[in-house]
Amino acid sequence: MKSLASGRIMKRRIATALLLAFLPGAECAAQRTGIGYKVAPDADNNKTVLLKDFHPQPALHAAGHEIQRAKFPVIDVHTHTNDAVGIGDRVDPKEMVARMDQLNIKSIVILTGMWGSKLQTIIDSMVKPYPGRFVVFTQLDWSEINDPDFSQLMVRQLHDSVDRGARGLKILKELGLGVRDSKGRLITIDDPRLDPVWEECGRLGIPVFIHAGDPEAFFHPIDASNERYEELIEHPDWSFYGPRYPSLRELLAQRDRMFAKHPHTAFVALHFGSWPENLDFVEQTLQKFPNVMIETGAREGELGRQPRRTREIFMKYSDRIMFGTDEGAAETMYQNYFRWLETTDEYFPYAQYPEQGRWMIYGLGLPDDVLEKVYHGNAERLFARFNDGKQSAGHAVSTTFVKGMCTSNSP
Protein backbone atom coordinates (compact mmCIF):
# COMPACT_ATOMS: atom_id res chain seq x y z
CA MET A 1 0.00 0.00 0.00
CA LYS A 2 2.85 2.35 0.87
CA SER A 3 4.50 1.70 -2.48
CA LEU A 4 1.23 2.33 -4.34
CA ALA A 5 0.73 5.69 -2.55
CA SER A 6 4.28 6.74 -3.39
CA GLY A 7 3.60 6.01 -7.06
CA ARG A 8 0.48 8.20 -7.02
CA ILE A 9 2.40 11.07 -5.41
CA MET A 10 5.13 10.84 -8.04
CA LYS A 11 2.60 10.96 -10.89
CA ARG A 12 0.94 14.04 -9.40
CA ARG A 13 4.32 15.78 -9.14
CA ILE A 14 5.15 15.06 -12.78
CA ALA A 15 1.74 16.32 -13.93
CA THR A 16 2.15 19.49 -11.87
CA ALA A 17 5.60 20.13 -13.35
CA LEU A 18 4.29 19.72 -16.91
CA LEU A 19 1.38 22.08 -16.20
CA LEU A 20 3.68 24.75 -14.75
CA ALA A 21 5.93 24.55 -17.79
CA PHE A 22 3.14 25.84 -19.98
CA LEU A 23 1.76 28.46 -17.59
CA PRO A 24 2.55 32.20 -18.13
CA GLY A 25 5.76 33.09 -16.41
CA ALA A 26 7.43 29.71 -17.02
CA GLU A 27 9.52 31.22 -19.86
CA CYS A 28 10.55 34.10 -17.59
CA ALA A 29 11.68 31.60 -14.99
CA ALA A 30 13.82 29.89 -17.62
CA GLN A 31 15.29 33.21 -18.73
CA ARG A 32 16.33 34.01 -15.13
CA THR A 33 18.85 31.18 -15.46
CA GLY A 34 20.42 32.93 -18.44
CA ILE A 35 19.71 29.97 -20.72
CA GLY A 36 16.82 30.22 -23.16
CA TYR A 37 15.29 27.79 -25.61
CA LYS A 38 13.87 30.07 -28.28
CA VAL A 39 15.41 32.10 -31.09
CA ALA A 40 16.25 35.64 -30.04
CA PRO A 41 13.66 38.07 -31.42
CA ASP A 42 16.34 40.33 -32.94
CA ALA A 43 18.46 37.48 -34.40
CA ASP A 44 18.03 38.46 -38.07
CA ASN A 45 18.98 42.07 -37.33
CA ASN A 46 22.16 40.88 -35.65
CA LYS A 47 23.36 38.85 -38.65
CA THR A 48 25.67 41.61 -39.83
CA VAL A 49 28.93 39.81 -40.66
CA LEU A 50 29.62 40.14 -44.37
CA LEU A 51 30.16 36.94 -46.32
CA LYS A 52 33.64 38.08 -47.31
CA ASP A 53 34.52 38.45 -43.61
CA PHE A 54 33.08 35.10 -42.52
CA HIS A 55 35.90 32.64 -41.89
CA PRO A 56 34.65 30.01 -39.43
CA GLN A 57 37.30 27.81 -37.85
CA PRO A 58 36.15 24.18 -37.51
CA ALA A 59 35.96 22.97 -33.94
CA LEU A 60 36.25 19.38 -35.14
CA HIS A 61 39.11 17.38 -33.65
CA ALA A 62 40.27 15.05 -36.42
CA ALA A 63 43.56 13.43 -37.37
CA GLY A 64 45.64 15.37 -39.85
CA HIS A 65 48.70 14.39 -41.88
CA GLU A 66 50.83 16.95 -43.68
CA ILE A 67 52.37 15.44 -46.82
CA GLN A 68 55.49 17.45 -47.67
CA ARG A 69 56.58 15.28 -50.59
CA ALA A 70 54.64 12.97 -52.90
CA LYS A 71 55.01 9.27 -52.16
CA PHE A 72 55.89 8.54 -55.80
CA PRO A 73 57.25 10.71 -58.64
CA VAL A 74 54.59 13.02 -60.07
CA ILE A 75 53.81 14.29 -63.55
CA ASP A 76 51.46 17.26 -63.37
CA VAL A 77 49.67 17.18 -66.72
CA HIS A 78 47.75 20.43 -66.22
CA THR A 79 49.71 23.61 -65.53
CA HIS A 80 50.12 27.04 -67.07
CA THR A 81 53.37 28.02 -65.32
CA ASN A 82 55.31 30.51 -67.45
CA ASP A 83 52.85 29.91 -70.30
CA ALA A 84 52.51 31.98 -73.46
CA VAL A 85 48.98 33.20 -72.73
CA GLY A 86 49.63 34.65 -69.28
CA ILE A 87 47.28 32.38 -67.34
CA GLY A 88 49.74 30.81 -64.92
CA ASP A 89 52.26 31.85 -62.28
CA ARG A 90 55.57 33.36 -63.34
CA VAL A 91 58.41 31.39 -61.75
CA ASP A 92 62.08 31.38 -62.70
CA PRO A 93 62.65 27.98 -64.38
CA LYS A 94 65.62 27.19 -62.14
CA GLU A 95 63.52 27.94 -59.04
CA MET A 96 60.66 25.87 -60.45
CA VAL A 97 62.93 22.86 -60.95
CA ALA A 98 64.23 23.17 -57.38
CA ARG A 99 60.65 23.34 -56.12
CA MET A 100 59.73 20.28 -58.18
CA ASP A 101 62.70 18.34 -56.79
CA GLN A 102 61.61 19.12 -53.24
CA LEU A 103 58.04 17.98 -53.93
CA ASN A 104 59.03 14.87 -55.96
CA ILE A 105 57.52 16.27 -59.17
CA LYS A 106 59.22 14.70 -62.14
CA SER A 107 57.67 16.84 -64.90
CA ILE A 108 55.02 19.46 -65.51
CA VAL A 109 53.01 20.02 -68.67
CA ILE A 110 52.55 23.63 -69.76
CA LEU A 111 49.34 23.46 -71.75
CA THR A 112 48.98 27.00 -73.12
CA GLY A 113 52.09 27.36 -75.28
CA MET A 114 50.39 29.01 -78.27
CA TRP A 115 52.38 28.62 -81.52
CA GLY A 116 55.18 30.12 -83.60
CA SER A 117 57.65 32.40 -81.83
CA LYS A 118 55.73 32.37 -78.53
CA LEU A 119 55.87 28.58 -78.42
CA GLN A 120 59.53 28.69 -79.35
CA THR A 121 60.29 31.00 -76.41
CA ILE A 122 58.97 28.42 -73.93
CA ILE A 123 60.84 25.62 -75.65
CA ASP A 124 64.09 27.60 -75.60
CA SER A 125 63.75 28.87 -72.02
CA MET A 126 62.28 25.80 -70.29
CA VAL A 127 62.10 22.63 -72.35
CA LYS A 128 65.63 22.58 -73.81
CA PRO A 129 67.59 23.72 -70.73
CA TYR A 130 65.83 21.22 -68.46
CA PRO A 131 65.33 17.99 -70.41
CA GLY A 132 62.45 15.87 -69.19
CA ARG A 133 61.20 18.44 -66.66
CA PHE A 134 58.86 20.48 -68.86
CA VAL A 135 56.48 19.50 -71.66
CA VAL A 136 54.69 22.15 -73.71
CA PHE A 137 51.50 22.02 -75.80
CA THR A 138 50.38 24.10 -78.74
CA GLN A 139 46.99 25.70 -79.46
CA LEU A 140 44.85 26.75 -82.42
CA ASP A 141 44.75 30.27 -83.83
CA TRP A 142 41.05 31.17 -83.70
CA SER A 143 41.66 34.48 -85.45
CA GLU A 144 41.76 32.42 -88.67
CA ILE A 145 38.34 30.82 -88.14
CA ASN A 146 36.71 32.73 -91.02
CA ASP A 147 39.42 31.81 -93.53
CA PRO A 148 38.06 29.34 -96.11
CA ASP A 149 41.27 27.32 -95.64
CA PHE A 150 41.07 27.31 -91.82
CA SER A 151 41.33 23.53 -91.56
CA GLN A 152 44.51 23.24 -93.59
CA LEU A 153 46.02 26.33 -92.01
CA MET A 154 45.62 24.74 -88.61
CA VAL A 155 46.99 21.40 -89.76
CA ARG A 156 50.10 23.17 -91.06
CA GLN A 157 50.39 25.15 -87.84
CA LEU A 158 50.08 21.90 -85.88
CA HIS A 159 52.94 20.37 -87.85
CA ASP A 160 55.13 23.41 -87.30
CA SER A 161 54.43 23.30 -83.55
CA VAL A 162 55.28 19.60 -83.28
CA ASP A 163 58.47 20.16 -85.27
CA ARG A 164 59.43 22.88 -82.78
CA GLY A 165 58.83 20.52 -79.85
CA ALA A 166 55.15 20.73 -78.85
CA ARG A 167 53.85 17.42 -77.52
CA GLY A 168 50.10 17.93 -77.56
CA LEU A 169 47.22 20.23 -78.47
CA LYS A 170 45.30 22.20 -75.82
CA ILE A 171 41.73 23.39 -76.40
CA LEU A 172 40.49 26.00 -73.95
CA LYS A 173 36.82 26.43 -73.01
CA GLU A 174 36.63 29.30 -75.51
CA LEU A 175 35.69 26.67 -78.07
CA GLY A 176 31.93 26.36 -77.62
CA LEU A 177 31.66 29.40 -75.33
CA GLY A 178 33.68 32.22 -76.86
CA VAL A 179 34.93 31.66 -80.40
CA ARG A 180 32.48 33.19 -82.88
CA ASP A 181 32.46 33.55 -86.64
CA SER A 182 32.08 36.81 -88.55
CA LYS A 183 28.30 36.62 -88.09
CA GLY A 184 28.56 36.28 -84.32
CA ARG A 185 27.68 32.59 -84.18
CA LEU A 186 29.45 30.40 -81.65
CA ILE A 187 31.73 27.76 -83.13
CA THR A 188 30.64 24.40 -81.78
CA ILE A 189 33.07 21.83 -80.43
CA ASP A 190 32.05 19.39 -83.17
CA ASP A 191 32.34 21.93 -86.00
CA PRO A 192 33.40 19.95 -89.11
CA ARG A 193 36.15 22.45 -89.90
CA LEU A 194 38.02 20.99 -86.93
CA ASP A 195 37.79 17.37 -88.05
CA PRO A 196 41.04 17.46 -90.04
CA VAL A 197 42.85 18.81 -86.97
CA TRP A 198 41.59 16.05 -84.68
CA GLU A 199 42.47 13.44 -87.30
CA GLU A 200 45.96 14.85 -87.76
CA CYS A 201 46.56 14.75 -84.02
CA GLY A 202 45.72 11.06 -84.14
CA ARG A 203 48.01 10.50 -87.11
CA LEU A 204 50.89 12.35 -85.43
CA GLY A 205 50.29 10.59 -82.13
CA ILE A 206 49.82 13.71 -80.03
CA PRO A 207 47.00 13.90 -77.46
CA VAL A 208 44.27 16.54 -77.44
CA PHE A 209 43.59 18.03 -74.00
CA ILE A 210 40.15 19.64 -74.11
CA HIS A 211 38.34 21.83 -71.59
CA ALA A 212 34.65 21.78 -72.50
CA GLY A 213 32.14 23.75 -70.47
CA ASP A 214 32.85 24.76 -66.87
CA PRO A 215 31.53 24.05 -63.35
CA GLU A 216 27.79 23.45 -63.39
CA ALA A 217 27.15 26.46 -61.13
CA PHE A 218 28.53 28.75 -63.84
CA PHE A 219 25.46 27.92 -65.92
CA HIS A 220 23.06 28.90 -63.12
CA PRO A 221 21.90 32.40 -62.09
CA ILE A 222 24.28 34.32 -59.83
CA ASP A 223 21.97 34.51 -56.85
CA ALA A 224 21.64 33.33 -53.26
CA SER A 225 21.08 29.72 -54.36
CA ASN A 226 24.34 29.46 -56.33
CA GLU A 227 26.95 27.50 -54.37
CA ARG A 228 29.74 29.37 -56.18
CA TYR A 229 28.23 32.80 -55.62
CA GLU A 230 31.43 34.33 -54.23
CA GLU A 231 33.56 33.00 -57.09
CA LEU A 232 31.16 34.32 -59.71
CA ILE A 233 30.88 37.73 -58.05
CA GLU A 234 34.66 37.98 -58.32
CA HIS A 235 34.68 36.63 -61.90
CA PRO A 236 31.38 37.67 -63.52
CA ASP A 237 32.83 36.85 -66.96
CA TRP A 238 32.85 33.20 -65.87
CA SER A 239 29.05 33.13 -65.86
CA PHE A 240 27.52 31.36 -68.85
CA TYR A 241 23.93 31.62 -67.74
CA GLY A 242 21.39 32.85 -70.26
CA PRO A 243 20.38 32.55 -73.92
CA ARG A 244 23.76 33.70 -75.31
CA TYR A 245 25.30 30.38 -74.35
CA PRO A 246 24.51 26.69 -74.77
CA SER A 247 23.81 24.65 -71.66
CA LEU A 248 26.54 22.55 -70.07
CA ARG A 249 24.77 19.40 -71.23
CA GLU A 250 24.68 20.64 -74.83
CA LEU A 251 28.39 21.54 -74.75
CA LEU A 252 29.28 18.07 -73.53
CA ALA A 253 27.02 16.54 -76.18
CA GLN A 254 28.98 18.46 -78.82
CA ARG A 255 32.22 17.21 -77.32
CA ASP A 256 31.03 13.62 -77.19
CA ARG A 257 29.96 13.69 -80.83
CA MET A 258 33.50 14.81 -81.63
CA PHE A 259 34.98 12.01 -79.50
CA ALA A 260 32.86 9.47 -81.37
CA LYS A 261 33.95 10.74 -84.79
CA HIS A 262 37.66 10.37 -84.03
CA PRO A 263 38.24 7.06 -82.24
CA HIS A 264 41.92 6.90 -83.25
CA THR A 265 42.81 10.18 -81.56
CA ALA A 266 43.74 10.23 -77.87
CA PHE A 267 41.70 12.82 -75.95
CA VAL A 268 41.97 13.98 -72.36
CA ALA A 269 38.72 15.42 -70.99
CA LEU A 270 40.13 17.99 -68.59
CA HIS A 271 38.80 18.81 -65.14
CA PHE A 272 37.82 15.22 -64.44
CA GLY A 273 35.73 14.84 -67.56
CA SER A 274 34.33 18.39 -67.26
CA TRP A 275 31.35 17.44 -65.08
CA PRO A 276 32.67 16.20 -61.71
CA GLU A 277 29.42 17.28 -60.04
CA ASN A 278 27.89 14.38 -61.97
CA LEU A 279 30.22 11.41 -61.63
CA ASP A 280 27.67 9.06 -63.17
CA PHE A 281 28.02 11.08 -66.36
CA VAL A 282 31.82 10.98 -66.11
CA GLU A 283 31.73 7.21 -65.77
CA GLN A 284 29.46 6.93 -68.79
CA THR A 285 31.97 9.00 -70.78
CA LEU A 286 34.79 6.62 -69.87
CA GLN A 287 32.62 3.62 -70.74
CA LYS A 288 31.57 4.99 -74.13
CA PHE A 289 34.91 6.37 -75.29
CA PRO A 290 37.95 4.14 -74.68
CA ASN A 291 40.18 6.75 -76.38
CA VAL A 292 39.46 9.27 -73.59
CA MET A 293 41.35 9.87 -70.34
CA ILE A 294 40.61 12.35 -67.54
CA GLU A 295 42.67 14.34 -65.01
CA THR A 296 42.10 16.06 -61.68
CA GLY A 297 42.98 19.68 -62.53
CA ALA A 298 41.25 22.33 -60.36
CA ARG A 299 38.63 19.85 -59.20
CA GLU A 300 40.12 18.68 -55.91
CA GLY A 301 37.46 20.70 -54.09
CA GLU A 302 34.63 19.22 -56.11
CA LEU A 303 35.84 15.64 -55.90
CA GLY A 304 36.99 15.83 -52.30
CA ARG A 305 33.50 16.50 -50.97
CA GLN A 306 32.22 13.20 -52.43
CA PRO A 307 35.09 10.89 -51.45
CA ARG A 308 33.35 7.51 -51.62
CA ARG A 309 32.01 7.92 -55.16
CA THR A 310 35.23 9.59 -56.31
CA ARG A 311 37.32 6.74 -54.92
CA GLU A 312 35.13 4.24 -56.77
CA ILE A 313 35.98 6.00 -60.04
CA PHE A 314 39.70 6.06 -59.22
CA MET A 315 39.68 2.37 -58.38
CA LYS A 316 37.65 1.27 -61.38
CA TYR A 317 39.39 3.46 -63.96
CA SER A 318 42.87 3.63 -62.48
CA ASP A 319 44.45 3.37 -65.95
CA ARG A 320 42.49 6.36 -67.26
CA ILE A 321 43.09 9.08 -64.65
CA MET A 322 46.10 11.42 -64.45
CA PHE A 323 47.32 13.91 -61.86
CA GLY A 324 46.72 17.56 -62.75
CA THR A 325 46.41 20.75 -60.71
CA ASP A 326 45.71 23.89 -62.82
CA GLU A 327 46.06 25.90 -59.61
CA GLY A 328 49.41 27.70 -59.83
CA ALA A 329 52.82 26.54 -58.70
CA ALA A 330 52.78 26.95 -54.90
CA GLU A 331 54.31 24.19 -52.78
CA THR A 332 51.41 24.29 -50.33
CA MET A 333 48.94 23.69 -53.15
CA TYR A 334 50.77 20.57 -54.28
CA GLN A 335 51.05 19.31 -50.70
CA ASN A 336 47.31 19.73 -50.28
CA TYR A 337 46.70 17.58 -53.38
CA PHE A 338 49.10 14.93 -52.04
CA ARG A 339 47.22 14.87 -48.74
CA TRP A 340 43.91 14.46 -50.56
CA LEU A 341 45.13 11.51 -52.64
CA GLU A 342 47.38 9.76 -50.12
CA THR A 343 45.60 10.06 -46.75
CA THR A 344 42.19 9.31 -45.28
CA ASP A 345 42.12 12.61 -43.40
CA GLU A 346 38.64 14.02 -42.82
CA TYR A 347 37.18 17.47 -43.24
CA PHE A 348 40.07 19.70 -44.31
CA PRO A 349 40.21 22.67 -46.70
CA TYR A 350 40.91 22.05 -50.38
CA ALA A 351 43.85 23.94 -51.90
CA GLN A 352 41.96 27.06 -52.95
CA TYR A 353 39.35 27.15 -50.17
CA PRO A 354 36.93 28.92 -50.06
CA GLU A 355 37.15 30.23 -53.64
CA GLN A 356 35.11 27.45 -55.25
CA GLY A 357 32.62 26.93 -52.43
CA ARG A 358 32.28 26.81 -48.66
CA TRP A 359 32.80 23.13 -47.99
CA MET A 360 35.60 20.87 -46.78
CA ILE A 361 37.04 17.75 -48.38
CA TYR A 362 38.03 14.21 -47.36
CA GLY A 363 41.10 12.18 -48.29
CA LEU A 364 40.84 9.30 -50.74
CA GLY A 365 43.60 7.12 -49.28
CA LEU A 366 44.44 5.54 -52.65
CA PRO A 367 46.42 2.28 -52.60
CA ASP A 368 49.99 2.43 -53.87
CA ASP A 369 49.34 0.71 -57.20
CA VAL A 370 46.59 3.18 -58.08
CA LEU A 371 48.55 6.12 -56.75
CA GLU A 372 51.54 5.30 -58.94
CA LYS A 373 49.38 5.16 -62.05
CA VAL A 374 47.69 8.45 -61.27
CA TYR A 375 50.88 10.22 -60.22
CA HIS A 376 53.01 9.26 -63.19
CA GLY A 377 52.34 5.88 -64.85
CA ASN A 378 49.39 6.89 -67.02
CA ALA A 379 51.06 10.11 -68.15
CA GLU A 380 54.25 8.23 -69.03
CA ARG A 381 52.19 5.91 -71.17
CA LEU A 382 50.52 8.86 -72.84
CA PHE A 383 53.83 10.55 -73.68
CA ALA A 384 55.85 7.39 -74.26
CA ARG A 385 56.77 8.30 -77.84
CA PHE A 386 58.61 11.38 -76.59
CA ASN A 387 60.99 9.59 -74.23
CA ASP A 388 64.30 11.41 -73.71
CA GLY A 389 62.80 14.48 -75.38
CA LYS A 390 63.07 12.90 -78.83
CA GLN A 391 60.09 12.52 -81.09
CA SER A 392 59.91 9.05 -82.54
CA ALA A 393 58.52 8.63 -85.99
CA GLY A 394 55.28 7.27 -87.08
CA HIS A 395 51.65 6.58 -86.48
CA ALA A 396 52.33 3.12 -85.07
CA VAL A 397 53.04 4.31 -81.54
CA SER A 398 49.88 6.39 -81.49
CA THR A 399 47.78 3.43 -82.62
CA THR A 400 49.36 1.25 -79.93
CA PHE A 401 48.55 3.84 -77.30
CA VAL A 402 44.89 4.15 -78.31
CA LYS A 403 44.53 0.37 -78.42
CA GLY A 404 46.06 0.22 -74.95
CA MET A 405 43.46 2.69 -73.74
CA CYS A 406 40.73 0.59 -75.32
CA THR A 407 41.67 -2.41 -73.21
CA SER A 408 42.24 -0.57 -69.92
CA ASN A 409 39.41 -0.61 -67.40
CA SER A 410 36.78 -0.68 -70.10
CA PRO A 411 33.61 -2.54 -69.14
Side-chain angles (χ1 to χ4, degrees):
M1 290 292 293
K2 200 175 203 181
S3 166
L4 187 59
S6 298
R8 291 197 189 103
I9 292 170
M10 181 60 70
K11 287 180 181 178
R12 282 198 296 269
R13 287 177 178 171
I14 293 173
T16 301
L18 289 172
L19 179 62
L20 288 173
F22 291 97
L23 287 176
E27 184 178 343
C28 294
Q31 291 298 327
R32 283 196 296 270
T33 68
I35 302 173
Y37 298 94
K38 290 187 178 182
V39 174
D42 57 348
D44 283 342
N45 292 334
N46 289 332
K47 295 175 182 176
T48 58
V49 176
L50 297 177
L51 191 58
K52 68 182 181 66
D53 298 323
F54 184 59
H55 304 292
Q57 299 300 310
L60 179 70
H61 293 260
H65 303 84
E66 299 302 324
I67 307 299
Q68 302 296 322
R69 178 180 170 85
K71 191 172 187 179
F72 303 105
V74 169
I75 298 176
D76 185 347
V77 302
H78 194 153
T79 83
H80 301 278
T81 302
N82 295 347
D83 71 326
V85 178
I87 296 174
D89 293 348
R90 305 292 104 176
V91 184
D92 179 86
K94 185 177 180 181
E95 160 61 23
M96 191 64 209
V97 169
R99 194 177 300 180
M100 291 162 63
D101 288 343
Q102 183 174 337
L103 294 165
N104 201 17
I105 298 174
K106 178 180 179 181
S107 308
I108 68 169
V109 181
I110 305 165
L111 293 181
T112 38
M114 296 191 76
W115 53 88
S117 61
K118 292 186 175 181
L119 172 67
Q120 192 65 50
T121 296
I122 297 176
I123 291 170
D124 291 343
S125 64
M126 299 187 75
V127 177
K128 290 181 179 179
Y130 304 97
R133 306 311 298 271
F134 301 106
V135 177
V136 65
F137 276 32
T138 187
Q139 298 168 262
L140 298 181
D141 183 359
W142 299 115
S143 68
E144 303 286 354
I145 190 63
N146 294 301
D147 192 302
D149 296 323
F150 172 77
S151 300
Q152 292 310 310
L153 285 172
M154 291 304 99
V155 168
R156 288 198 292 272
Q157 179 180 293
L158 184 67
H159 274 266
D160 177 71
S161 295
V162 171
D163 288 343
R164 291 174 186 268
R167 295 301 177 245
L169 175 65
K170 169 65 161 79
I171 304 298
L172 291 164
K173 64 184 176 184
E174 59 195 5
L175 178 61
L177 287 171
V179 181
R180 297 178 183 268
D181 63 18
S182 57
K183 295 183 180 179
R185 295 173 298 200
L186 282 170
I187 305 302
T188 62
I189 297 172
D190 59 344
D191 189 297
R193 283 171 288 188
L194 293 166
D195 285 340
V197 176
W198 312 138
E199 283 297 301
E200 194 64 12
C201 287
R203 195 186 73 79
L204 291 171
I206 64 171
V208 178
F209 280 39
I210 181 167
H211 176 173
D214 242 351
E216 183 176 329
F218 291 10
F219 295 84
H220 296 168
I222 307 177
D223 58 22
S225 66
N226 195 309
E227 68 176 356
R228 293 194 181 220
Y229 175 83
E230 292 170 274
E231 187 177 24
L232 289 167
I233 288 295
E234 292 186 356
H235 301 278
D237 52 323
W238 290 0
S239 174
F240 303 111
Y241 173 73
R244 293 185 63 242
Y245 302 102
S247 67
L248 176 59
R249 191 173 288 277
E250 170 54 27
L251 285 167
L252 296 180
Q254 294 173 15
R255 182 202 67 180
D256 289 357
R257 288 194 291 270
M258 182 265 286
F259 286 164
K261 287 173 68 177
H262 305 283
H264 301 297
T265 299
F267 292 97
V268 177
L270 297 176
H271 305 295
F272 218 75
S274 296
W275 202 358
E277 301 92 333
N278 187 345
L279 289 179
D280 288 347
F281 178 87
V282 174
E283 182 167 17
Q284 290 166 13
T285 300
L286 293 171
Q287 289 173 345
K288 284 191 286 187
F289 305 111
N291 58 323
V292 172
M293 297 178 74
I294 59 178
E295 56 85 44
T296 59
R299 297 299 181 266
E300 179 205 28
E302 192 60 62
L303 297 166
R305 64 173 173 170
Q306 46 181 333
R308 288 189 291 273
R309 183 70 176 104
T310 296
R311 195 177 192 276
E312 286 179 3
I313 298 291
F314 271 87
M315 298 299 292
K316 188 173 182 179
Y317 298 94
S318 61
D319 293 334
R320 308 275 292 281
I321 302 171
M322 295 182 291
F323 178 90
T325 58
D326 189 29
E327 298 195 45
E331 292 180 22
T332 53
M333 178 274 296
Y334 277 109
Q335 290 162 348
N336 189 283
Y337 267 77
F338 302 158
R339 181 185 183 188
W340 169 54
L341 294 171
E342 295 185 26
T343 80
T344 56
D345 287 357
E346 295 187 297
Y347 202 76
F348 59 94
Y350 56 89
Q352 303 299 339
Y353 176 85
E355 291 181 12
Q356 296 180 343
R358 289 179 175 268
W359 58 74
M360 297 290 174
I361 64 170
Y362 302 80
L364 299 182
L366 296 177
D368 285 357
D369 60 332
V370 173
L371 199 59
E372 280 206 81
K373 292 177 185 179
V374 172
Y375 269 163
H376 66 90
N378 294 334
E380 287 170 347
R381 181 163 55 91
L382 182 65
F383 296 115
R385 63 179 301 224
F386 301 122
N387 280 344
D388 301 319
K390 298 176 182 179
Q391 180 183 344
S392 61
H395 176 47
V397 176
S398 171
T399 303
T400 302
F401 166 67
V402 173
K403 284 181 178 177
M405 291 176 67
C406 292
T407 57
S408 298
N409 296 98
S410 298

